[in-house]
Amino acid sequence: MDRATDMPEGLAQPADPAKVNDYDGFAEVYSAENENSLVNAYYERPAMLALAGHVAGRRVLDAGCGSGPLTAALRDRGAIVTGIDASAGMLALARKRLGDDAALHVADLKDPLPFDDGAFDDVVASLVLHYLEDWGPTLAEMRRVLRPGGRLIASVDHPFVAYTISEPRPDYFATTSYSFEWMLNGRLIPMKLWRKPLHAMTDAFAAAGFRLAAISEPQPDPAARELFPEDDVRDLATKPCFLFFVLQAPPTAT
């Protein structure tokens, strides 16, 4: 399970369920796009790192690490990082980036996590939760593997944006799926995501035992203005894109 880089340019008919979100099938082209794109490299990852703050010496689980750019950035800041992803193809690219000794595991966030209780100080979930219809079991597992007082730092598609991706507009207050074709390097990739209203997100965090410490709608990295078209940067700076959360586990075990 990995992350989407941007909202779709256009909608398509629902794709074959066996083919949607097939990151193994487009791992290399996705990783290349993700590496230096405006939305990922100059918006989403810098925001995640800013919210994580000082991580030196902290045990961090990168849940949905993909090819490992956030994993690498956290490790460069002194964190002890473990990465998991459902895509073996993405993890193969992560291992090339991070080295053979990197702690990387194939694991689907729909399943129980293969770690002991309290194994991590932080969990980062970068643009992965919106692949799940039901966040409850996944958040419960993230809560379990965090030490008391640990943090979950998560980014998701902004619910205001997800609401606009279909005509007629869906019921904002319902959890609904939507399918589209994502253009990557001239290739149409069938995708399926889930949208939730904001209150359903915060309710799910609370039900899993997390306390909301921060909610963020950040700006792009200022360096983007020197590298990308002015109109693209302005759009990202003035319209909703992703929503970021910092959640804290209770300071004492329950």
Side-chain angles (χ1 to χ4, degrees):
M1 189 169 303
D2 201 73
R3 60 210 58 177
T5 55
D6 204 350
M7 303 311 298
E9 294 180 359
L11 297 175
Q13 294 299 314
D16 179 353
K19 301 292 186 180
V20 298
N21 305 341
D22 179 22
Y23 276 91
D24 282 341
F26 59 91
E28 291 193 6
V29 66
Y30 171 82
S31 182
E33 169 69 19
N34 180 286
E35 195 73 24
N36 296 301
S37 71
L38 170 60
V39 168
N40 291 106
Y42 292 89
Y43 174 64
E44 197 275 338
R45 279 199 297 278
M48 290 290 285
L49 292 168
L51 290 172
H54 181 73
V55 294
R58 294 179 72 88
R59 302 163 300 161
V60 180
L61 174 64
D62 188 352
C65 66
S67 62
L70 182 59
T71 313
L74 290 164
R75 190 175 69 173
D76 288 347
R77 288 160 173 76
I80 304 161
V81 192
T82 298
I84 61 171
D85 203 281
S87 167
M90 296 298 288
L91 283 179
L93 296 175
R95 193 163 297 283
K96 288 182 181 179
R97 181 197 303 270
L98 298 165
D100 291 339
D101 60 343
L104 299 171
H105 307 274
V106 176
D108 196 313
L109 292 180
K110 296 177 182 177
D111 301 326
L113 296 176
F115 306 109
D116 292 337
D117 295 0
F120 299 100
D121 300 301
D122 298 311
V123 174
V124 293
S126 173
L127 301 177
V128 294
L129 290 174
H130 48 227
Y131 287 88
L132 304 172
E133 179 180 8
D134 182 3
W135 290 10
T138 300
L139 292 177
E141 277 295 282
M142 291 177 172
R143 165 71 186 86
R144 180 185 65 78
V145 302
L146 279 169
R147 66 165 175 80
R151 301 177 302 169
L152 168 60
I153 302 163
S155 59
V156 297
D157 282 340
H158 200 296
F160 297 172
V161 176
Y163 171 65
T164 67
I165 303 177
S166 73
E167 291 293 347
R169 296 286 170 84
D171 177 357
Y172 170 79
F173 295 101
T175 293
T176 56
S177 67
Y178 60 103
S179 298
F180 57 92
E181 289 189 321
W182 185 13
M183 179 65 75
L184 278 179
N185 195 30
R187 177 181 170 190
L188 288 173
I189 307 294
M191 303 296 293
K192 179 181 177 180
L193 302 180
W194 290 88
R195 55 186 154 221
K196 296 178 182 294
L198 178 57
H199 80 268
M201 296 179 183
T202 57
D203 287 353
F205 292 134
F210 287 105
R211 179 181 64 84
L212 181 60
I215 187 168
S216 178
E217 296 172 305
Q219 288 289 296
D221 186 324
R225 299 188 181 278
E226 303 299 321
L227 299 169
F228 296 93
E230 181 180 350
D231 288 349
D232 293 349
V233 178
R234 183 186 303 111
D235 278 352
L236 193 56
T238 58
K239 299 175 183 177
C241 184
F242 302 139
L243 193 60
F244 297 76
F245 300 93
V246 179
L247 296 308
Q248 187 171 30
T252 56
T254 58

